[in-house]
Amino acid sequence: MLDVTRLRVLVAVARHGSVTAAARALQYAQPSVSHHLSRLEAETGSQLIQRVGRGVRLTEAGQVLAERAEEILGRLDAAEAELATYTGLRAGRVRLAAFPSALGTFVPTAAAAFAAASPGIELRLTEAEPPDAIRLLRSGEVDVALIFAYRDQPSEGNKPRDAQPANPTVTAAAPSQPRDEPADDGLRRVTLLTEPIYLVTPLNLPGDRLVDHSSKRWIAGCERCRTALIQSCTAVGFTPDIAFTTDDYLAVQALVAAGLGVTTLPDLSLRSHRHPGVRATEIPGLARTVTAAVHGEPPDPPATAALLAHLATAARAWTPEPSGCAAIEDRR
């Protein structure tokens, strides 16, 4: 049977990139880390690390084991936290990783409600984009990860028509009946809301369709956002010239307002912060679904279940002031 302590050492080496850094993170002596790695290689019968200059890197076998070890350790840490809550060994704690536009909109409402309802449970928040949030969840560093995924492609078959200033309805799962989505990676995803995606252009720049800006420079964000942007543009016949890359939606809107490019942004990003110099046009058929990812099947630990309920309530009830953008539904 594989030793849990040695698995933690391997994960630390994979995460920090060297034996020295792993020893520092684990507060071990460096020879102890090397010893654990040697014993783990003996237990598995595989070479897990190899020397590269003054450092080390994981072999293919080491990478596979480190990825599985992160999942195992995450489950163990979650089980310890749940047991501690039930037995009263320490005060409860729940940790949430969330992406910036969620932190700038409904998460503070959920966090405040959670803190008021559960004063004995410590809530910790960490900003992380979906891939990092999932990694933190798998490694046991957070209990809930807010993530998003884009779905469908824009419908570009009809002519545009005028619409009211944007204050779109965000659909959300009721807190008492969260919509659980099956997953094949050991995680469970609870749907919180689905939001529209907007074409964002300088205030006075004409063109309400993606294809109207095929010759413009574009601004892209994280890998998921960039992929959705490229697929949306490809669907209407062009490849966007991505000149700027940033995950900061304040910077994105400032770049657009300055006339340096155009972009697409989800509703939460525009509601969290709206630059007065940009114009937003909803892209029909393109949406982003926000979910809360947790380990395994219900029942969840009490603190996790309470946080999920407050997140669902906040996603449903959070209603900011209208963004005031001159939205035009892009129906061609």
Side-chain angles (χ1 to χ4, degrees):
M1 182 177 294
L2 297 177
D3 183 90
V4 173
T5 299
R6 290 165 189 158
L7 291 178
R8 288 193 186 277
V9 169
L10 179 65
V11 169
V13 171
R15 185 176 301 163
H16 298 285
S18 72
V19 171
T20 301
R24 188 181 305 115
L26 295 169
Q27 297 184 338
Y28 286 0
Q30 185 171 330
S32 178
V33 170
S34 297
H35 172 74
H36 281 304
L37 291 173
S38 296
R39 293 299 303 158
L40 186 59
E41 288 186 326
E43 290 175 355
T44 60
S46 301
Q47 182 181 357
L48 302 177
I49 62 171
Q50 60 187 57
R51 296 287 177 183
V52 180
R54 295 185 178 181
V56 298
R57 70 180 177 192
L58 269 62
T59 63
E60 185 175 350
Q63 291 173 349
V64 170
L65 182 57
E67 290 173 2
R68 294 301 184 188
E70 273 203 327
E71 297 179 22
I72 294 168
L73 296 173
R75 296 289 185 89
L76 286 175
D77 290 342
E80 290 178 356
E82 182 177 359
L83 182 62
T85 299
Y86 281 120
T87 59
L89 295 177
R90 58 177 172 80
R93 179 188 67 181
V94 63
R95 300 156 298 175
L96 171 68
F99 52 92
S101 59
L103 286 171
T105 50
F106 68 91
V107 168
T109 302
F114 177 87
S118 308
I121 301 178
E122 178 186 8
L123 173 62
R124 296 184 180 180
L125 301 178
T126 299
E127 179 184 316
E129 294 290 348
D132 289 332
I134 289 296
R135 180 186 62 77
L136 292 172
L137 179 63
R138 289 190 181 284
S139 65
E141 295 176 65
V142 300
D143 305 293
V144 181
L146 284 189
I147 59 177
F148 59 79
Y150 289 86
R151 67 185 196 188
D152 301 329
Q153 294 299 328
S155 173
E156 306 242 1
N158 302 316
K159 295 180 180 180
R161 62 182 177 86
D162 291 341
Q164 297 298 317
N167 185 20
T169 301
V170 178
T171 59
S176 59
Q177 296 180 323
R179 299 201 301 271
D180 286 13
E181 298 180 4
D184 58 5
D185 56 3
L187 303 180
R188 188 175 88 258
R189 292 166 175 79
V190 180
T191 300
L192 297 178
L193 59 86
T194 299
E195 55 179 331
I197 306 299
Y198 289 90
L199 168 65
V200 181
T201 59
L203 195 59
N204 297 318
L205 181 66
D208 301 316
R209 306 174 304 172
L210 294 174
V211 73
D212 292 336
H213 304 279
S214 60
S215 63
K216 303 292 193 303
R217 297 202 295 178
W218 287 76
I219 304 162
C222 69
E223 182 177 352
R224 292 188 181 198
C225 302
R226 176 190 292 258
T227 299
L229 169 62
I230 293 173
Q231 290 177 344
S232 299
C233 293
T234 300
V236 295
F238 74 97
T239 300
D241 175 16
I242 298 175
F244 302 94
T245 300
T246 175
D247 290 329
D248 186 336
Y249 54 85
L250 278 71
V252 169
Q253 293 186 58
L255 289 167
V256 172
L260 296 175
V262 296
T263 192
T264 58
L265 284 176
D267 183 60
L268 287 180
S269 296
L270 290 169
R271 291 186 178 220
S272 179
H273 170 79
R274 180 61 190 276
H275 195 292
V278 303
R279 180 170 179 270
T281 305
E282 184 175 347
I283 306 172
L286 185 62
R288 190 174 80 164
T289 299
V290 177
T291 60
V294 293
H295 277 292
E297 297 300 317
D300 296 305
T304 300
L307 178 59
L308 287 174
H310 285 294
L311 286 169
T313 299
R316 183 179 183 87
W318 188 80
T319 52
E321 295 181 0
S323 59
C325 57
I328 297 177
E329 292 191 14
D330 185 6
R331 300 184 185 278
R332 286 191 273 291

